[in-house]
Amino acid sequence: METGALGKKVFFLNPMPVLSEIVEELARREFEVYLARGHDRLARVLQKETDSIVFINVDDRTEEAVWDQYVRDLAAGEATKDVGIGVLSMNEDRDLMQKYLMDLQVRCGFIVVKIGAAKTTEILTKTLEANEARGRRKFVRAVCQPGSAQAIVDIDGKEWRAELSDLSCAGVAMRFKENASFRPGTVLKKLQLSVKGTNILTDGFVAAKRDEAENPTHIVMFAPNSLDDVKRDKIRGLISKINQASMDCLLDSI
């Protein structure tokens, strides 16, 4: 699969507090966003996530010379040369803008956050779209750790329990605990998802089935009219929490 086809991870390095609201809105717009602290640890992650985008908060207590070298090292690194770099600041410092935009040529811009959350969100959205951060996918997905996400569903009047392995606003991947197998097209009524203490009730249908030898994985799509904006926001919030927790573990271990 070509690079970036499934979208790019977007990191906000050492984010200022005001970014919490902005990042939440970007997640609603189906960007895969992460908060990260520790530039050295993130640099090691970027060695593997080579098609990512990083926005650096240059207002933190790190010396400017460190950020200068950090940007140069990412741009020069064989593994990280394709990482998109942008800069965030609360200050409209013309000299600093000149440095990053003209001298270091960061391709994701120098964004002044003090103009307000709504405006900053729009600028970031346009920047991410210009850099094809969503790829060809429409929805961000989260991989659910074993035992962390379950479902109860009614099929032909019988209640079945399943474990989720994958979650997005479009649907889920699940395995039934009774090793049950249902053919594509099977309607799932009253599909109750339980993820990290949050319950969501929806409807769906089996869109596909992976033919494993035992206990096949069912790809279930949600019925669009069974999800309102509140439920979609709940699912997006869960996806962000799951993905952020996984990234935190990676950053702590690398």
Side-chain angles (χ1 to χ4, degrees):
M1 184 173 294
E2 65 187 79
T3 302
L6 295 180
K8 302 178 181 181
K9 290 179 172 59
V10 181
F11 295 93
F12 290 90
L13 177 56
N14 297 350
M16 55 274 284
V18 70
L19 275 180
S20 296
E21 179 184 346
I22 294 169
V23 168
E24 191 174 304
E25 179 57 31
L26 292 174
R28 287 195 192 100
R29 300 183 186 195
E30 296 294 343
F31 292 107
E32 187 177 350
V33 289
Y34 297 93
L35 303 179
R37 296 192 178 279
H39 58 278
D40 289 334
R41 291 187 302 171
L42 180 58
R44 290 192 286 272
V45 170
L46 294 174
Q47 294 283 329
K48 299 180 179 180
E49 301 292 346
T50 58
D51 199 38
S52 299
I53 296 173
V54 180
F55 289 98
I56 302 170
N57 169 24
V58 295
D59 291 348
D60 76 342
R61 297 179 181 178
T62 305
E63 292 184 5
E64 178 55 35
V66 173
W67 289 135
D68 182 298
Q69 192 60 49
Y70 190 71
V71 171
R72 293 179 189 277
D73 288 345
L74 288 179
E78 184 60 33
T80 56
K81 63 184 180 182
D82 293 325
V83 171
I85 303 171
V87 173
L88 301 177
S89 176
M90 300 288 286
N91 304 304
E92 197 169 353
D93 186 323
R94 295 293 178 181
D95 291 337
L96 209 56
M97 287 183 182
Q98 170 79 18
K99 173 182 175 179
Y100 283 102
L101 294 176
M102 304 305 293
D103 300 342
L104 297 178
Q105 297 185 346
V106 297
R107 71 169 186 259
C108 293
F110 188 109
I111 299 170
V112 181
V113 180
K114 72 175 183 179
I115 57 179
K119 184 65 174 177
T120 302
T121 300
E122 293 306 318
I123 294 173
L124 283 168
T125 296
K126 290 179 180 178
T127 300
L128 294 175
E129 287 174 344
N131 285 273
E132 300 181 331
R134 291 194 188 97
R136 292 200 298 269
R137 70 179 175 197
K138 293 183 178 179
F139 302 99
V140 175
R141 61 188 281 270
V143 175
C144 304
Q145 296 301 314
S148 67
Q150 291 80 37
I152 302 174
V153 61
D154 183 290
I155 302 177
D156 296 329
K158 181 178 178 180
E159 185 178 275
W160 298 84
R161 294 179 179 271
E163 183 165 336
L164 308 185
S165 59
D166 195 295
L167 173 67
S168 79
C169 273
V172 295
M174 62 168 63
R175 287 184 175 182
F176 290 92
K177 294 187 177 180
E178 297 87 349
N179 290 349
S181 178
F182 298 97
R183 64 178 180 273
T186 301
V187 175
L188 310 182
K189 291 289 186 181
K190 297 179 181 178
L191 174 58
Q192 181 175 313
L193 309 177
S194 179
V195 186
K196 289 188 173 293
T198 298
N199 295 319
I200 300 168
L201 186 65
T202 183
D203 296 327
F205 64 92
V206 178
K209 185 174 63 173
R210 297 174 188 158
D211 290 325
E212 288 105 345
E214 293 183 4
N215 198 8
T217 297
H218 295 73
I219 309 302
V220 174
M221 306 301 291
F222 298 135
N225 60 1
S226 69
L227 287 179
D228 56 19
D229 289 342
V230 173
K231 290 180 180 179
R232 287 191 182 92
D233 281 348
K234 278 187 178 181
I235 294 173
R236 290 188 183 106
L238 288 170
I239 291 168
S240 292
K241 287 180 181 179
I242 294 168
N243 284 340
Q244 183 69 57
S246 296
M247 183 57 65
D248 288 343
C249 288
L250 178 59
L251 287 165
D252 287 341
S253 65
I254 200 165

